Amino acid sequence: EPEVTQTPSHQVTQMGQEVILRCVPISNHLYFYWYRQILGQKVEFLVSFYNNEISEKSEIFDDQFSVERPDGSNFTLKIRSTKLEDSAMYFCASKQGAYEQYFGPGTRLTVT
Amino acid sequence: DQQVKQNSPSLSVQEGRISILNCDYTNSMFDYFLWYKKYPAEGPTFLISISSIKDKNEDGRFTVFLNKSAKHLSLHIVPSQPGDSAVYFCAASVKTSGSRLTFGEGTQLTVNP
């Protein structure tokens, strides 16, 4: 069964450093998403991406964040200058045309 | 963001009995609702969904009920199995193709053998 994959599974970085989180969505999916879950809190929407552009973003997704689909398979989330409060699980999701989003296993980002 | 709320952080049931997980929402624009299951160190796994034009959707042991007037939905699992022990998230969206999911806090279900 096709699945969303994410790398790395755990990323440790120092405050102020740039990180790139990578995702490979399911191959025939057209809509791509990033969510995050800070420990003990809800899963929160960050951004959606369709047709090579951002279709929606939340108030969390400020200028420090960017997304890219550099080729036909990868979907990346870049945080330019990480803060302590960026520490969270980051989930990538994708879907085709129906409403069910399929999630990857997540990347645990720890900012020290 | 309190648009989707799961008031019970945990639920414990005996194997073979029914598990009922509840979810309330406030945004009347939501018209599509989903349940996800999550194990530790894994991403949410889609379980079942329901459109606002229906009041019930069933898939095997899982049934979702939607009460639009009360802005309430529930997930019934029957019979419950120990492997069902996980965190269950309710999520809601607006019926556009690319729309975001808004999640509840999650309910930890424990099914005891």
Side-chain angles (χ1 to χ4, degrees):
Chain A
E1 185 174 324
E3 58 183 21
V4 177
T5 60
Q6 290 184 244
T7 54
S9 57
H10 190 191
Q11 173 92 48
V12 182
T13 189
Q14 287 192 325
M15 196 166 51
Q17 296 297 303
E18 174 183 286
V19 294
I20 298 176
L21 309 184
R22 301 180 193 278
C23 169
V24 178
I26 295 172
S27 62
N28 62 345
H29 285 188
L30 301 174
Y31 302 88
F32 313 112
Y33 305 83
W34 284 100
Y35 293 81
R36 78 174 186 191
Q37 186 179 28
I38 295 171
L39 188 63
Q41 297 187 22
K42 290 186 178 186
V43 176
E44 303 173 287
F45 167 79
L46 292 177
V47 65
S48 59
F49 192 86
Y50 171 72
N51 201 25
N52 284 319
E53 62 182 22
I54 291 173
S55 49
E56 187 180 5
K57 60 183 180 180
S58 72
E59 57 280 0
I60 302 168
F61 194 88
D62 61 22
D63 292 343
Q64 294 298 314
F65 292 88
S66 62
V67 290
E68 196 176 40
R69 188 155 162 82
D71 52 42
S73 59
N74 290 283
F75 180 50
T76 62
L77 174 69
K78 182 191 293 186
I79 309 175
R80 287 191 187 81
S81 177
T82 50
K83 308 183 186 72
L84 294 176
E85 54 265 36
D86 293 328
S87 296
M89 282 292 290
Y90 286 81
F91 295 107
C92 173
S94 70
K95 69 174 187 177
Q96 200 178 24
Y99 301 119
E100 296 81 34
Q101 293 180 25
Y102 292 88
F103 285 77
T107 292
R108 178 170 298 284
L109 177 64
T110 302
V111 182
T112 62
Chain B
D1 178 1
Q2 297 294 306
Q3 294 188 80
V4 178
K5 195 138 183 67
Q6 294 175 255
N7 288 309
S8 299
S10 64
L11 174 68
S12 183
V13 300
Q14 285 300 118
E15 181 179 5
R17 306 298 289 268
I18 186 170
S19 296
I20 301 176
L21 297 107
N22 294 302
C23 178
D24 297 294
Y25 63 97
T26 56
N27 187 345
S28 56
M29 297 296 292
F30 289 143
D31 54 12
Y32 194 71
F33 305 90
L34 308 90
W35 285 94
Y36 285 85
K37 171 179 169 180
K38 187 180 180 303
Y39 295 115
E42 294 185 13
T45 301
F46 170 72
L47 264 181
I48 192 168
S49 61
I50 188 166
S51 166
S52 61
I53 61 173
K54 295 186 174 182
D55 54 18
K56 176 182 173 181
N57 188 27
E58 192 171 350
D59 183 2
R61 296 186 299 115
F62 302 92
T63 303
V64 56
F65 295 92
L66 175 62
N67 181 335
K68 278 193 299 182
S69 61
K71 293 192 176 70
H72 177 83
L73 62 154
S74 61
L75 174 68
H76 293 208
I77 306 173
V78 56
S80 301
Q81 300 172 352
D84 295 330
S85 297
V87 177
Y88 287 77
F89 291 100
C90 166
S93 70
V94 177
K95 198 174 181 180
T96 58
S97 293
S99 66
R100 65 170 75 180
L101 294 177
T102 300
F103 282 86
E105 297 87 343
T107 297
Q108 171 71 57
L109 173 66
T110 302
V111 180
N112 301 301

